[in-house]
Amino acid sequence: MRVTDLTKWYGRKRALNAVSFDLDQRCTALLGPNGAGKTTLMKCIAGLMSPTSGTVDLRGKDPVVGYLPQQFSFLPNLTVRESLMYLGRLGGIGEDALVAQVDDVIAKTRLTEWADMRFKALSGGTARRMGIAQSLLGPPELVLLDEPTSGLDIEERSKFKDVLARASGSHAIVISTHLAEDIVGLCERALVLQLGSLIFDGAVEQLRAFATGRVCLSADDSPSAGGGIVSGLSVEAGSSVYRYVMPERSAEYTASPTVADGYLALLHGYSDGQ
């Protein structure tokens, strides 16, 4: 897939600013703070919204694109299996192939235990997994997941990673999120949007490197006087330890950076001298 100079205006507000990138057959993260333009980009790629200018070339005569919107719900009294069968028929999947496809996506998303449970009885995390399952019907060449971990607890987030790891071998997947920790161990490549512009396109490890030599651990807020941005808080030996990303690199800052640290450094412009 190739996106070229994709631009979207909502009245006088520009949501996307000439965004361009190629996409290959792997799991790619689309990172950015709330309001960066991630959902608009996803909808333009999925064909649910027309860009003001620019193009999306899916490199196929009639490619199948799976899409999980940020807010996913379905008919409350249908079971998981009934829902997937219904959605598959709406998507034009023939009856001969439909049962096998539904069985396959239920297995991939670890929904076998809940296959005959009504949608209204599912937990939030299980409902999101059903949303991922429906996006895999087709099967699609490209799967777009918009904030798939929204509202999930830590256990469900772990299950989400397992589900996506199982699916990523056979689909090109784009995961939109504002939480950098969601992509660790799952995505090799990251795209970062800020205010509608693509400010980074590269390996996740390159993103982490923006914070090398910039991570300061402190029990107080003194690093903030030097422009430090809090990236986390932990409790060690009963005391709170704040994690700061500093604007300047220093040999004094020896803590190993996380992907979230590097992402924060990039968003704040602390990206010089990699």
Side-chain angles (χ1 to χ4, degrees), residues 71-205:
Q71 302 296 328
F72 175 78
S73 188
F74 202 63
L75 300 173
N77 289 315
L78 291 186
T79 66
V80 168
R81 186 180 300 278
E82 290 168 344
S83 299
L84 294 172
M85 292 289 288
Y86 179 74
L87 289 166
R89 292 188 181 103
L90 286 181
I93 301 173
E95 291 295 323
D96 291 343
L98 184 56
V99 172
Q101 281 205 36
V102 168
D103 286 343
D104 180 57
V105 299
I106 285 175
K108 277 183 177 176
T109 54
R110 297 189 180 274
L111 283 170
T112 303
E113 182 179 344
W114 296 271
D116 297 314
M117 185 177 291
R118 296 181 191 273
F119 184 85
K120 65 182 180 182
L122 301 178
S123 68
T126 306
R128 296 298 284 176
R129 273 190 280 154
M130 193 195 116
I132 295 172
Q134 63 81 30
S135 75
L136 298 177
L137 288 170
E141 288 84 2
L142 173 64
V143 179
L144 304 171
L145 306 176
D146 192 1
E147 300 282 0
T149 62
S150 177
L152 302 189
D153 61 28
I154 189 169
E155 183 177 355
E156 288 291 354
R157 296 174 96 86
S158 177
K159 290 178 182 177
F160 150 80
K161 280 192 174 183
D162 174 64
V163 165
L164 265 295
R166 291 160 63 89
S168 62
S170 52
H171 308 273
I173 298 177
V174 179
I175 302 171
S176 165
T177 182
H178 63 280
L179 300 172
E181 60 265 29
D182 282 350
I183 71 171
V184 177
L186 184 60
C187 300
E188 297 177 16
R189 179 188 179 196
L191 306 170
V192 180
L193 281 177
Q194 187 174 37
L195 298 176
S197 295
L198 186 64
I199 62 171
F200 177 83
D201 177 359
V204 170
E205 286 308 306

Side-chain angles (χ1 to χ4, degrees), residues 26 47 59 101 132-133 208:
R26 54 178 167 171
R59 298 178 182 175
Q101 281 205 36
I132 295 172
R208 186 198 306 270

Side-chain angles (χ1 to χ4, degrees), residues 205 207-215 248-250 253 255 257 262 265:
E205 286 308 306
L207 184 61
R208 186 198 306 270
F210 284 127
T212 301
R214 285 193 167 100
V215 180
E248 303 295 334
R249 300 181 194 272
S250 171
Y253 308 145

